[in-house]
């Protein structure tokens, strides 16, 4: 079983690691919106809006979007598009597979 080395590149950046952490517990971490709104986004929209992640990260939207795209390509995130907005959540299955692969390979 081969590990995608790009996942390690994605995880080598503190902000990208932070985003994974924020998406693990969005009700606690995404404080720019109410918990009720976060719950609604997670259940109805399938994740957290890019703009809320931009606010939390304090970086340019283009930077955060490129980080999110990189993590999605590596299988760490899943995105859903609703109109002009994109919502992201963790790919728990992909994260578990990575963990298993690391355990087997190393």
């Amino acid at each position: 079983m081969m590990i995608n080395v790009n996942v390690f590149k994605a995880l080598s950046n503190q902000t990208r690691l932070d985003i994974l952490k924020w998406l693990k517990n969005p009700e606690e971490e995404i404080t720019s919106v109410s918990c009720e709104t976060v719950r609604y986004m997670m259940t109805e929209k399938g994740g957290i809006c890019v703009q809320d992640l931009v606010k939390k990260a304090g970086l340019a939207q283009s930077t955060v979007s490129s980080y999110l795209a990189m993590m999605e390509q590596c299988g760490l995130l899943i995105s859903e598009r609703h109109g002009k907005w994109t919502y992201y959540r963790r790919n728990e299955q992909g994260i578990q597979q990575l963990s298993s692969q690391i355990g087997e390979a190393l």
Side-chain angles (χ1 to χ4, degrees):
M1 190 175 300
M2 205 155 155
I3 299 173
N4 178 356
V5 295
N6 289 328
V7 75
F8 294 109
K9 291 177 186 176
L11 296 174
S12 69
N13 175 284
Q14 186 61 51
T15 301
R16 291 189 290 259
L17 284 172
D18 289 342
I19 289 170
L20 281 176
K21 178 184 156 206
W22 301 336
L23 291 174
K24 184 174 185 176
N25 297 305
E27 291 178 15
E28 295 174 15
E29 299 290 344
I30 308 297
T31 57
S32 61
V33 292
S34 73
C35 284
E36 286 180 28
T37 304
V38 169
R39 272 187 234 114
Y40 168 76
M41 286 192 291
M42 292 302 291
T43 57
E44 297 296 320
K45 302 294 186 180
I48 298 296
C49 180
V50 172
Q51 290 305 314
D52 292 314
L53 295 169
V54 167
K55 288 178 195 172
K56 177 78 174 172
L59 298 172
Q61 186 270 330
S62 59
T63 301
V64 173
S65 289
S66 70
Y67 286 177
L68 295 168
M70 177 185 230
M71 291 189 293
E72 184 176 21
Q73 289 171 352
C74 293
L76 298 171
L77 297 179
I78 298 170
S79 69
E80 275 189 46
R81 190 128 177 110
H82 293 271
K84 65 178 183 172
W85 305 103
T86 304
Y87 295 82
Y88 286 86
R89 68 180 181 273
R90 287 165 47 112
N91 179 356
E92 297 299 340
Q93 183 179 3
I95 292 169
Q96 284 298 322
Q97 285 176 341
L98 173 63
S99 177
S100 295
Q101 289 173 347
I102 291 171
E104 291 172 13
L106 303 176

